[in-house]
Amino acid sequence: MSDSSSEKAQKPTHQEVELIIPMLQDMELTATQTACSIAQHMKFDEDRIDEVKMALIEAIINAFEHSQSPDKKVRIRFVLGEENLTVIIQDHGQGFALESIEKPEIGKKLHHEYKRGWGLMLIENLMDTVYIESNANGTTLVMSKNRK
Amino acid sequence: MSDSSSEKAQKPTHQEVELIIPMLQDMELTATQTACSIAQHMKFDEDRIDEVKMALIEAIINAFEHSQSPDKKVRIRFVLGEENLTVIIQDHGQGFALESIEKPEIGKKLHHEYKRGWGLMLIENLMDTVYIESNANGTTLVMSKNRK
Amino acid sequence: MSESFNLTLEEHTDYAIIRTEGYVNNLGGEKIGEAADQLIEQGVRKLILNFEKSNVVNSIGISILIEVIEKIVDVDGQIAFCYLTKTIEKTFNIMGLTQYAEIYATEAEAVEKLA
Amino acid sequence: MSESFNLTLEEHTDYAIIRTEGYVNNLGGEKIGEAADQLIEQGVRKLILNFEKSNVVNSIGISILIEVIEKIVDVDGQIAFCYLTKTIEKTFNIMGLTQYAEIYATEAEAVEKLA
Ligand SMILES: Nc1ncnc2c1ncn2[C@@H]1O[C@H](COP(=O)(O)OP(=O)(O)O)[C@@H](O)[C@H]1O
Ligand SMILES: Nc1ncnc2c1ncn2[C@@H]1O[C@H](COP(=O)(O)OP(=O)(O)O)[C@@H](O)[C@H]1O
């Protein structure tokens, strides 16, 4: 009992669920099912759960499609916060230069050969905070959604 | 191309999904959601999926309830075979002596104080093969279900 | 942070129906146990458990159902389950609950056979 | 090992309906693209995409929908979506698809407004 005050002073340890999926067609849907169950557990409403699922799909298919990761795996961590759910998507691929990514615009995409390039922009818009770290050892995308 | 025959001779590398969950009330349901999505992906029929889910719940709540694992986590691996799904449930708890476990019987449970003790027996009956390894470093339960 | 579990009761002169909703784990099982205790106390001897909205159970929850079965057996009563998923029905068979409890497809059928 | 994706076509004299079922990813998107190409080739200028049974999309699939929108714009046609989930509608808004495509709650409403 003597150290109860120091215990209280500690940061609460957040519960975490970790999922590692192989780079296989549609495996992102397994991750969204896991996410859905966690977010329901946290009492997120259906719309917010759906937005997390969509952002998660985008982050995972980016790792599948672009990372060229030799281990062909994507690691996803769900951190169950008091007021938010943080999802960390990580690959050990080649990385990319974030500053070289152009913001897509529908007016430019129409009548232009290259119609892709929406994933990161969607993630930014569907989540409350997004942070990306990418280098030659891989890419880590950290995204959070508030419960409300 | 020169080593294609030796490549063919290799065992196929099975795809694997890994999930680590904290020991939290109802977290077993997150694992069953993940299992469900994987088994659907493998085109298991709904009844067989349901049986895997039930067995998985039992294996996980055993780890939650009995393992006393200091890391308070359970690791679940799903191995996607050609003809079966293998689920490996692992904790780093105190383990138990498998040979000391009695087979439960309903006749003995009625009018007897202790009504529990059904989990392992259910797992054996719901899955096609079950293997348990338990020692002072923890418990690993390996269970497989054939696609048909 | 736990799954919500709810139940509703329908009491008749000579039987009662407990309709559950959600995961029948330790918590869900305990709620069923408490409701059954009260009904038996009130003199109910025939009990129908409608699991239409409970698709998931665990063996801890079922252990509490065995207690309920025991109590019903002790008062020479009858207990029946209805709307079980295939897997829950299989589980009850594996465990031998079906030696002491009836399983019917629908609530109407259970009422007809028991009442 | 992939999600099944299906679509059905309903062709009328001056419009057509594509009803999809399943995940609109690269594969689903391509199937929609092929169906739309053929309809436009046949002279269809008004296209309704009913997503009632497609609750999940990804941006690769949507990129193919942008191709379809482009082709419809090029022939001075009209394109409308109906039964979008809230999140898919929000996504289409974020991306600006709604500058070129209409969104209606129901298929009946889409038919009424377009035809
Ligand atoms: N995990 C990743 N690994 C390597 N490159 C990535 C990763 N995620 C995104 N990128 C790069 O960022 C670009 C933009 O991604 P995004 O906005 O999702 O659109 P798209 O995937 O359609 O190209 C990609 O084309 C790719 O070059
Ligand atoms: N992961 C585990 N760690 C430690 N002990 C375990 C584990 N799994 C099972 N056991 C032991 O085996 C016993 C039988 O388990 P089970 O058949 O599932 O029934 P119950 O959990 O109701 O006791 C438990 O009571 C426990 O002593």
Side-chain angles (χ1 to χ4, degrees), chain A residues 49-98:
Chain A
I49 293 176
D50 229 35
E51 290 169 13
V52 172
K53 285 165 79 173
M54 174 95 201
L56 182 56
I57 285 177
E58 293 303 320
I60 293 173
I61 62 176
N62 271 348
F64 282 10
E65 208 184 3
H66 306 299
S67 76
Q68 310 281 351
S69 171
D71 67 2
K72 295 196 184 311
K73 285 182 187 301
V74 180
R75 179 176 178 219
I76 301 140
R77 275 177 293 160
F78 302 92
V79 185
L80 290 67
E82 293 292 306
E83 291 307 326
N84 64 20
L85 171 63
T86 299
V87 190
I88 304 165
I89 299 96
Q90 194 168 32
D91 65 62
H92 295 109
Q94 64 190 4
F96 68 106
L98 190 54

Side-chain angles (χ1 to χ4, degrees), chain A residues 124-136:
Chain A
E124 298 265 3
N125 277 279
L126 293 169
M127 300 297 287
D128 289 314
T129 62
V130 179
Y131 168 79
I132 299 172
E133 163 102 38
S134 192
N135 58 45

Side-chain angles (χ1 to χ4, degrees), chain A residues 100-114:
Chain A
S100 70
I101 305 297
E102 244 177 81
K103 196 172 144 43
E105 277 174 49
I106 187 73
K108 289 190 191 159
K109 294 290 182 191
L110 239 48
H111 301 108
H112 193 286
E113 185 69 32
Y114 185 70

Side-chain angles (χ1 to χ4, degrees), chain B residues 25-26 28-29 47 50-51 54 57-58 61 65 106 109-112 115-116 118 121-122 125, chain C residues 2-3 23 25 27 56-60 63 66-67 70 74 86-87 90-91 94-95 99-100:
Chain B
Q25 176 86 30
D26 291 340
E28 67 274 22
L29 299 182
D47 290 338
D50 230 36
E51 290 170 12
M54 174 94 201
I57 285 178
E58 293 302 321
I61 62 175
E65 207 184 4
I106 187 74
K109 295 289 183 192
L110 239 50
H111 302 108
H112 194 285
K115 299 212 163 19
R116 299 279 309 277
W118 297 96
M121 181 262 218
L122 283 176
N125 278 279
Chain C
S2 64
E3 275 280 287
Y23 188 15
N25 56 4
L27 303 173
V56 190
V57 303
N58 71 23
S59 69
I60 310 181
S63 297
I66 297 177
E67 274 179 46
E70 181 179 284
D74 283 350
K86 263 196 182 174
T87 301
K90 183 170 179 171
T91 299
I94 293 170
M95 294 173 66
Q99 295 172 35
Y100 305 92

Side-chain angles (χ1 to χ4, degrees), chain D residues 93-110:
Chain D
N93 269 308
I94 293 169
M95 294 172 66
L97 265 62
T98 42
Q99 294 171 36
Y100 304 91
E102 300 297 326
I103 295 177
Y104 298 107
T106 65
E107 190 181 283
E109 204 186 324

